[in-house]
Amino acid sequence: CSSTNHFGGDFGFGASATTTLPVSGGQTVSWSASQSGTLISGGGGCSTPSFCSYAWEDSGDGDFDDLVIRIFFTIVADTTAPTTTYALSGTAGNDGWYTTDVIVTLAATDNAGGTGVASTTLDGSTYTAARTISTEGTTSHTYFSVDNSSNTETTNNLTLKIDKTAPSAAITSHTSNQAVRGTISFGGPASDATSGLASVETSSNGTTWNSATVTSGSWTYSLNTTTLTDGTRTIQVRVTDNAGNQTTTSLALLVDNTKPASSFASTPTDNSWYAGSVTFSGTSSDATSGVSSLQRRTDGGAWSTLSGTTTWSYTVDTTTLSDGMHTFYVAATDVAGNLESTAVKTINVGNNPPVSSLEATCPAPGSNGWCKAPINVVVSAGSTAPLQLVSYWIDGNSETTVNQGST
């Protein structure tokens, strides 16, 4: 409210007086002076609330016997609280989060004509300078100001979200330089303690990023390695929290989608005939992950483990096999799990002796079993394996041989 109160009075020339103004808390004093009559002195420049002499001579006769000094004060009450604003300084992230400490600066102003700001309070203590907030997470802060008339501002609330810590992620499904093939599913844990996870992405080339599946603090992603060339490839995982902090981790994997290769040595010779124990040997190789294991089998039998990796040999007792053609197989598996199409060796087995028969005919039979002309003798022989020669004896005399195809 505002009221005009007149203080002072008619004082004789040379008189003086002191007036005590009834000003209480929450009020300010401004004043002005006016009076009809002839202004003798004062006026026109009194701008502060202090005594300022204004003199009038009412009658205007110039003898100053009726000099009047009169002072007028206007008392204006201050009932308006000050206003406080804030400014924040820090690195802004996503979704209203800050990724660094936040500096809070307060500025308080009082209303025009008010008594001025007396104090400002931030979080229960007097604010004198910008204050740094470093606590991570969502925090609530209060602030207000009071003016010199004890008018108190309504408490203001300020909410800050600070996340200075990057999220974490790891690849635990595979080990460094592990050999892989085909489509693999890799993954591991991922977490963020403050603002929470926003995304987990993977890349096999560092350029193209693909979203992984995140469930209960773990992530997974399926990668078709056949789209990559064989060799060491770096798999990257990039995890981002809701504040925008990021962490990238990587793991080297050995991609191998090429089958290993094996070959038999030239001996025993393909399609040749053998009997007894026969030894097979050969080599196996894999250009990327290396040979892990070998296996062998005969004909359509079961596979069995073969010792060795890059070189190998084994012996077969062919007497356990039937006479005839048999096929032997060796297959290598590499460290990545690729199984080759198998190496093949075919030989003929002949362990049973040939069977022979003899037939003699007489063109001119005589008496008592005698023949009166040269006897025709036919020797027949048969074998699973091709006959190389036939030998015969007459009366135990020296051996006579007939080569295959001869008469």
Side-chain angles (χ1 to χ4, degrees):
C1 62
S2 140
S3 63
T4 301
N5 298 278
H6 302 286
F7 299 91
D10 294 342
F11 301 100
F13 184 76
S16 64
T18 299
T19 300
T20 300
L21 303 179
V23 178
S24 61
Q27 297 177 325
T28 58
V29 176
S30 63
W31 58 276
S32 63
S34 64
Q35 170 64 35
S36 60
T38 301
L39 179 64
I40 302 302
S41 65
C46 294
S47 59
T48 59
S50 60
F51 286 98
C52 186
S53 299
Y54 286 80
W56 290 268
E57 198 278 314
D58 285 346
S59 62
D61 56 9
D63 59 6
F64 300 104
D65 58 352
D66 52 0
L67 178 64
V68 175
I69 297 176
R70 190 163 293 174
I71 300 175
F72 301 88
F73 294 91
T74 300
I75 301 174
V76 179
D78 180 5
T79 60
T80 303
T83 301
T84 308
T85 58
Y86 67 85
L88 304 178
S89 177
T91 302
N94 299 332
D95 196 27
W97 287 87
Y98 283 86
T99 57
T100 61
D101 292 344
V102 177
I103 299 175
V104 179
T105 302
L106 299 181
T109 57
D110 201 14
N111 57 298
T115 56
V117 177
S119 65
T120 298
T121 299
L122 173 61
D123 290 338
S125 62
T126 301
Y127 173 86
T128 57
R131 193 173 298 178
T132 299
I133 307 299
S134 58
T135 302
E136 291 193 72
T138 301
T139 57
S140 297
H141 307 272
T142 59
Y143 62 94
F144 63 89
S145 296
V146 180
D147 66 13
N148 289 303
S149 296
S150 300
N151 295 303
T152 302
E153 179 183 14
T154 301
T155 299
N156 300 290
N157 295 300
L158 169 63
T159 299
L160 293 178
K161 299 192 298 182
I162 300 176
D163 184 357
K164 301 179 291 182
T165 305
S168 63
I171 304 173
T172 57
S173 57
H174 294 75
T175 58
S176 179
N177 294 310
Q178 180 177 339
V180 295
R181 59 180 287 273
T183 297
I184 63 171
S185 178
F186 62 100
S191 63
D192 185 81
T194 306
S195 61
L197 290 176
S199 65
V200 177
E201 302 166 290
T202 68
S203 177
S204 58
N205 58 14
T207 302
T208 303
W209 292 89
N210 302 290
S211 295
T213 300
V214 181
T215 305
S216 300
S218 297
W219 64 271
T220 57
Y221 183 77
S222 293
L223 173 66
N224 182 5
T225 65
T226 61
T227 63
L228 308 175
T229 56
D230 283 1
T232 300
R233 297 291 173 263
T234 298
I235 305 301
Q236 292 179 291
V237 176
R238 181 174 67 188
V239 58
T240 306
D241 64 20
N242 287 310
N245 299 301
Q246 281 188 342
T247 296
T248 300
T249 187
S250 61
L251 181 70
L253 294 178
L254 185 61
V255 175
D256 183 2
N257 286 294
T258 302
K259 296 178 180 180
S262 299
S263 61
F264 281 91
S266 58
T267 303
T269 306
D270 281 328
N271 300 312
S272 295
W273 287 87
Y274 294 90
S277 294
V278 179
T279 298
F280 299 89
S281 62
T283 59
S284 298
S285 63
D286 184 81
T288 305
S289 62
V291 176
S292 172
S293 62
L294 297 167
Q295 54 186 338
R296 67 180 180 88
R297 74 174 181 177
T298 301
D299 298 324
W303 288 98
S304 61
T305 301
L306 174 61
S307 298
T309 52
T310 56
T311 61
W312 45 267
S313 67
Y314 67 99
T315 300
V316 175
D317 180 7
T318 64
T319 63
T320 63
L321 304 175
S322 62
D323 283 359
M325 180 180 291
H326 291 276
T327 304
F328 301 86
Y329 302 90
V330 169
T333 301
D334 64 19
V335 176
N338 297 297
L339 174 65
E340 71 170 311
S341 299
T342 71
V344 179
K345 171 73 74 172
T346 300
I347 65 171
N348 294 300
V349 173
N351 284 297
N352 294 311
V355 176
S356 60
S357 63
L358 185 148
E359 181 182 0
T361 59
C362 176
S367 300
N368 300 314
W370 288 90
C371 184
K372 296 185 291 183
I375 298 172
N376 295 321
V377 179
V378 177
V379 177
S380 299
S383 174
T384 304
L387 290 172
Q388 299 299 310
L389 56 86
V390 175
S391 300
Y392 67 92
W393 295 260
I394 300 176
D395 291 336
N397 294 321
S398 62
E399 176 184 8
T400 301
T401 61
V402 180
N403 291 327
Q404 181 181 12
S406 299
T407 302

